[in-house]
Amino acid sequence: MMLDAIDHVHVYVEDLPAAAMWYQQLLGFVHDEAFAEWYKQGGPYVIRCGAAALSLFQRSACNPGNTIAFAIQAIKIPALLARLDQSTLDYTVVDHQLTWSVYFYDLSGNPLEVTCNDYAAATPVMIAATQKRS
């Protein structure tokens, strides 16, 4: 198996604090403190309820739509990148300084992300991938 799980879904909202409160009151989501610094630096506001995670983005800063983010173990990243290279899909590797992500689109233009939360283990593989593509 290539992927481990759905890691999170990007949700674009009109009023980020109101949306976070709504998800908390209705469904029990809480702010994921592991990503608090990321939010302070302009990243998403990550909320979690059990294994479900949402990355809330202010709609004015991003295009409307949803991105499905899948989780991957660092050891599986080379196989993913090889498949992407063989498919000739255009993809982008991004260092979020807390996680590594690979972004690309499906056949219908839906945005996808494959993210590795084991930053230390993924770093050498992702750096090699970005250097190879340069």
Side-chain angles (χ1 to χ4, degrees):
M1 273 203 269
M2 176 69 61
L3 302 172
D4 298 315
I6 291 179
D7 187 75
H8 64 279
V9 176
H10 294 202
V11 179
Y12 298 90
V13 299
E14 298 295 329
D15 182 334
L16 202 144
M21 183 62 68
W22 184 87
Y23 278 102
Q24 178 182 358
Q25 291 175 344
L26 187 67
L27 300 173
F29 278 84
V30 296
H31 184 227
D32 188 336
E33 291 297 325
F35 298 98
E37 190 61 32
W38 204 4
Y39 176 67
K40 290 176 189 173
Q41 297 172 2
Y45 188 80
V46 180
I47 58 176
R48 186 172 298 281
C49 183
L54 300 176
S55 289
L56 302 180
F57 290 89
Q58 188 67 44
R59 182 166 282 168
S60 62
C62 299
N63 294 329
N66 294 312
T67 300
I68 300 172
F70 298 99
I72 192 168
Q73 297 171 23
I75 197 165
K76 297 178 181 179
I77 292 171
L80 169 69
L81 296 176
R83 283 188 187 181
L84 289 170
D85 287 337
Q86 289 171 353
S87 74
T88 66
L89 278 175
D90 197 24
Y91 66 91
T92 305
V93 175
V94 178
D95 179 356
H96 294 296
Q97 303 297 308
L98 188 60
T99 64
W100 280 95
S101 295
V102 180
Y103 293 94
F104 54 99
Y105 295 91
D106 72 8
L107 292 176
S108 298
N110 296 303
L112 300 175
E113 174 184 0
V114 178
T115 190
C116 183
N117 292 311
D118 186 349
Y119 186 79
T123 295
V125 176
M126 294 301 221
I127 287 174
T130 55
Q131 290 173 344
K132 176 182 157 190
R133 297 194 74 199
S134 297

